[in-house]
Amino acid sequence: MSLILRHNPQVIGAELDENGWIPTEILLAGIRKKGIRIDHDLLDEVVETNNKKRFAFNADKTKIRASQGHSVKVDVELKEETPPEILYHGTVNKFLDTIKEQGLIPMNRLHVHLSKDLETATNVGSRRGKPIILKIMAREMIQDGYTFYLSENGVWLTDKVLPEYIKQ
Ligand code: HQG
């Protein structure tokens, strides 16, 4: 579902609309075509119990989308919010030199992903090896005019983080 709803809806011959939605029926049919048994109840359960609440239905459950994490350019109507003083970003050693030079950039996604707690950032970094945690001076960034968004599922997002706002 992350592949379809964030990166490559073409794998089931579907397209995301400008706000990232696809019709629930199209998603179900597409997943079934891949040989995976799924019905509305199972999809409800996935949306409900997914550990990061990655997916959300619209009000009448006729459409579904990922709440963040896209590489496809869509507008998921992110809410602008004021972050806590510090946010965290989990990464790995091999990226550090470039990050210190360029800051954090979205790479293949639409935003830089940040977490409000160390534990989440540690999990994010651990996907790639021994995690390195960077402290992001979010309050200073706000004071300097940068914008932050909080996704439906509680991930902090911003367009970039310059090196001067990053502490290791
Ligand atoms: C790194 C998962 C070199 C950055 C996670 C990261 C998260 C740079 C990688 C969400 C760089 C991008 C996002 C620069 C950033 N030079 N490397 N200038 N700037 N990087 O996967 O933050 O499970 O796009 O440190 O839990 O790792 O999919 O971002 O290592 O919330 O829901 O480039 O994805 O969520 O990798 O993870 P990603 P991320 P889900």
Side-chain angles (χ1 to χ4, degrees), residues 6-30:
R6 289 170 164 180
H7 308 295
N8 191 1
Q10 291 84 3
V11 294
I12 58 158
E15 266 181 43
L16 308 184
D17 76 9
E18 60 176 337
N19 299 125
W21 298 108
I22 71 173
T24 306
E25 290 302 337
I26 300 273
L27 177 69
L28 287 171

Side-chain angles (χ1 to χ4, degrees), residues 1-12 14 16 20-32 34 36-51 53-57 63-72 109:
M1 282 174 57
S2 285
L3 175 67
I4 296 167
L5 297 175
R6 289 170 164 180
H7 308 295
N8 191 1
Q10 291 84 3
V11 294
I12 58 158
L16 308 184
W21 298 108
I22 71 173
T24 306
E25 290 302 337
I26 300 273
L27 177 69
L28 287 171
I31 294 175
R32 286 186 198 119
K34 295 280 168 196
I36 295 165
R37 289 171 65 163
I38 187 162
D39 58 13
H40 281 275
D41 287 347
L42 181 54
L43 186 62
D44 279 2
E45 195 183 322
V46 170
V47 170
E48 232 3 80
T49 61
N50 178 256
N51 61 344
K53 293 256 177 212
R54 291 176 177 87
F55 315 108
F57 289 114
K63 295 191 287 186
I64 184 167
R65 69 181 173 189
S67 295
Q68 41 70 233
H70 297 78
S71 55
V72 177
R109 304 193 198 243

Side-chain angles (χ1 to χ4, degrees), residues 7 13 20 23 31 36 62 66 68 79 94-95 113 115 123 145 148:
H7 308 295
I31 294 175
I36 295 165
T62 53
Q68 41 70 233
K79 280 187 286 229
K94 66 175 174 187
F95 295 145
H113 284 54
S115 319
N123 290 336
F148 286 81

Side-chain angles (χ1 to χ4, degrees), residues 69-75 106 108-113 158-159:
H70 297 78
S71 55
V72 177
K73 204 166 174 348
V74 291
D75 171 11
N108 293 325
R109 304 193 198 243
L110 300 181
H111 296 96
V112 171
H113 284 54
T158 193
D159 292 335

